[in-house]
Amino acid sequence: MIKEEKKKEYETIIIGGGISGLSCAKKLNEAGKDFLLISKNFGGRMCTPKKINYGACYVTGDYKHILNYVDKKEKLKLKDTFFLHNNHFLKFLTLKNLKYIFKIIKGFFILKNFRKHVLKLIEQLPYKSVKEGIEEDSLLFNYFKMPAKEFIRKHGFEELSELYFSPLATCTTFIDINKLSTYYYLSCFFPMIVNSYISDFKNTSKKLLKNLEDKAKIGLVIKVKKIKNGKYKIKTNIGDFYAKNIVFAALEKELKGVYNLPKPKIQQPIYVFYVNGKRKKRYMNKRAIIFNPKESSVYLIMNELGYETVYSKNLNPDFDKYYEKNYKIKRFYWNVAMPFSNNLIDQKLEENVYLASDYNIPGLEYSFLSGLYAANQIINLG
Ligand SMILES: Cc1cc2nc3c(=O)[nH]c(=O)nc-3n(C[C@H](O)[C@H](O)[C@H](O)COP(=O)(O)OP(=O)(O)OC[C@H]3O[C@@H](n4cnc5c(N)ncnc54)[C@H](O)[C@@H]3O)c2cc1C
């Protein structure tokens, strides 16, 4: 039987207990605010049942706000990564690629400069919305608006992109690079210049929920409606609640019918498989294989922390091609992996209604910061 809550009215109700809702709750708790976090589950797209990452899998050393809450396990190494192109395995770090050396150096400096701007943005984001922060930085704003394809053409990166960069960007974002902006495209390459780690998020929710367990409830939010006195009524499967402030910390597609939220242009689904089996000889001894998205429905096969994960746009990829007989698979489906927008979305939706989550830029750090920003707005209002 579903237990009804006794307290019905809160200053703030946070909807969604992924990293953005959790960071918002933690901050409000530290400020002594009255709030309730309601979520279908805690962790959201940080999903690590039995130590297997079905959702987010890596963090970079630049994820300053969340590094304390994740268990870093294994360093990502480009030298262990193979790119499958026209049925040939390629490696990025080989002498053969010396012919691209000037392009690679140029790319490195572009990436380094982009990172400098991103780090400055990240410092501001607890107090500034992603939209404001990006709009105030002309380089970041140009990259947000410029299609990745145009950037690749402008800098003559076509060949490198075809062989390495685009497959890498696609297996990071799960979308066709023709739909990506330069901002997203370049963000995928940070692990090339910043130490990055496959991580375990099993304890992340627990750590963030510490000291506020009684203010976080499992429940499904069905409808949010403005009522008299400027308050909001929140209809859920654990009863109706009332609040002055609302923070939406979940994706538009997940909250359809709950409230009229801005819709990101792309909300791309993805299948993630955990495979228990032995790879065929040809695919063995290769930690990560990144497939060319034009040639395969599988984006990536990776052995992370001793288990095999396969990311695919299809429900039934051809596992027989990659694994010896008798493999076993477990499938995980994400209705939306990461949203992508052409326009920067406001985080203040109306008086006392805030938007967290990765509507503007996907990733754990940006999501965490979006929750922190919403909390700081509420705290500053008093
Ligand atoms: C396969 C995959 C791989 C990824 N890899 C990485 C990576 O390596 N590194 C990285 O930085 N990022 C990665 N990401 C992106 C990252 O996971 C997200 O950007 C981030 O987790 C978003 O957190 P969030 O709290 O904003 O949203 P979510 O994690 O989606 O949390 C939303 C929460 O709201 C709940 N909810 C939804 N609807 C309702 C409702 N009606 N009522 C109550 N609760 C509701 C959900 O159950 C969920 O708990 C990946 C994502 C996926 C799917």
Side-chain angles (χ1 to χ4, degrees):
M1 218 176 83
I2 293 163
K3 201 175 142 217
E4 285 252 348
E5 286 299 311
K6 283 194 195 109
K7 180 164 151 68
K8 292 285 170 196
E9 194 159 336
Y10 294 84
E11 187 190 6
T12 302
I13 287 191
I14 306 164
I15 300 166
I19 192 129
S20 62
L22 291 168
S23 75
C24 184
K26 184 171 166 40
K27 186 71 198 178
L28 290 180
N29 200 44
E30 284 164 0
K33 290 285 175 185
D34 174 49
F35 71 93
L36 177 68
L37 166 65
I38 308 174
S39 188
K40 284 197 282 190
N41 56 54
F42 297 119
R45 279 171 279 160
M46 278 181 310
C47 174
T48 318
K50 297 190 179 144
K51 298 190 180 171
I52 298 161
N53 285 333
Y54 283 109
C57 87
Y58 77 83
V59 299
T60 79
D62 288 342
Y63 283 22
K64 297 269 186 288
H65 294 84
I66 63 159
L67 285 177
N68 282 343
Y69 305 108
V70 306
D71 298 314
K72 292 184 286 175
K73 293 287 180 193
E74 236 178 277
K75 209 159 154 185
L76 278 179
K77 289 187 197 128
L78 196 56
K79 74 175 179 46
D80 300 336
T81 303
F82 291 78
F83 294 79
L84 195 58
H85 184 77
N86 283 339
N87 222 13
H88 294 290
F89 286 110
L90 308 175
K91 288 190 88 173
F92 182 64
L93 300 173
T94 56
L95 288 177
K96 269 191 186 166
N97 284 340
L98 270 180
K99 62 182 173 200
Y100 300 122
I101 193 68
F102 292 113
K103 294 265 184 245
I104 291 172
I105 291 171
K106 182 178 177 187
F108 171 77
F109 281 107
I110 290 175
L111 193 58
K112 222 173 139 226
N113 189 38
F114 174 54
R115 176 176 172 237
K116 200 172 91 192
H117 285 253
V118 167
L119 287 177
K120 205 170 133 212
L121 171 74
I122 278 176
E123 255 174 50
Q124 300 170 2
L125 288 187
Y127 306 99
K128 209 176 249 182
S129 70
V130 175
K131 181 174 189 289
E132 286 168 312
I134 293 183
E135 279 173 354
E136 284 170 16
D137 184 312
S138 59
L139 179 121
L140 294 182
F141 188 62
N142 281 343
Y143 282 169
F144 192 88
K145 286 286 168 197
M146 185 193 288
K149 245 171 79 177
E150 194 181 317
F151 170 85
I152 293 163
R153 203 177 329 111
K154 186 173 159 200
H155 293 284
F157 289 142
E158 288 92 340
E159 230 176 297
L160 275 168
S161 193
E162 174 73 18
L163 298 179
Y164 304 104
F165 298 164
S166 297
L168 188 58
T170 309
C171 83
T172 307
T173 59
F174 312 120
I175 74 163
D176 189 298
I177 76 128
N178 291 323
K179 295 178 185 166
L180 278 184
S181 78
T182 303
Y183 196 118
Y184 299 129
Y185 181 73
L186 288 177
S187 301
C188 299
F189 310 129
F190 281 146
M192 287 180 162
I193 61 165
V194 187
N195 282 339
S196 301
Y197 306 87
I198 300 282
S199 298
D200 185 334
F201 304 99
K202 193 171 43 59
N203 296 316
T204 307
S205 308
K206 235 185 282 167
K207 287 184 186 170
L208 287 165
L209 282 170
K210 199 168 168 214
N211 300 329
L212 56 95
E213 294 86 350
D214 55 329
K215 294 173 189 165
K217 305 284 172 210
I218 294 289
L220 174 77
V221 175
I222 297 157
K223 190 91 196 157
V224 173
K225 223 170 118 187
K226 197 167 188 172
I227 53 166
K228 48 186 189 312
N229 311 332
K231 287 190 181 148
Y232 289 86
K233 178 178 175 182
I234 300 97
K235 189 171 185 285
T236 81
N237 68 341
I238 50 168
D240 293 346
F241 296 94
Y242 300 87
K244 182 180 143 213
N245 304 307
I246 302 287
V247 178
F248 289 101
L251 290 161
E252 185 269 345
K253 218 170 175 178
E254 296 259 312
L255 292 175
K256 247 193 180 55
V258 172
Y259 189 84
N260 193 15
L261 291 171
K263 192 172 173 181
K265 178 125 188 329
I266 303 169
Q267 300 195 73
Q268 181 80 18
I270 182 82
Y271 293 95
V272 185
F273 302 87
Y274 158 66
V275 185
N276 188 350
K278 193 171 154 199
R279 284 194 211 167
K280 286 201 165 155
K281 202 169 166 203
R282 174 153 206 259
Y283 300 95
M284 267 166 100
N285 300 325
K286 294 174 176 68
R287 169 99 200 280
I289 303 172
I290 296 178
F291 292 80
N292 192 307
K294 289 184 190 155
E295 297 166 12
S296 170
S297 71
V298 167
Y299 294 127
L300 172 69
I301 294 182
M302 184 156 75
N303 186 285
E304 50 176 73
L305 314 176
Y307 60 86
E308 294 272 298
T309 35
V310 175
Y311 297 80
S312 167
K313 59 186 145 190
N314 276 8
L315 172 63
N316 291 309
D318 186 5
F319 286 109
D320 292 346
K321 197 168 155 188
Y322 312 111
Y323 290 92
E324 300 282 6
K325 280 184 288 187
N326 305 326
Y327 57 80
K328 289 197 186 100
I329 54 166
K330 274 191 194 142
R331 189 175 61 218
F332 210 93
Y333 174 69
W334 294 103
N335 196 8
V336 179
M338 301 178 204
F340 292 92
S341 303
N342 285 0
N343 294 312
L344 289 158
I345 292 175
D346 264 319
Q347 280 168 260
K348 189 161 177 187
L349 298 178
E350 56 176 295
E351 203 57 28
N352 304 328
V353 180
Y354 302 93
L355 187 65
S357 196
D358 52 356
Y359 282 73
N360 284 308
I361 312 279
L364 295 164
E365 178 78 358
Y366 286 103
S367 303
F368 185 98
L369 286 162
S370 72
L372 210 52
Y373 170 76
N376 280 329
Q377 292 293 300
I378 291 166
I379 293 163
N380 290 341
L381 282 176

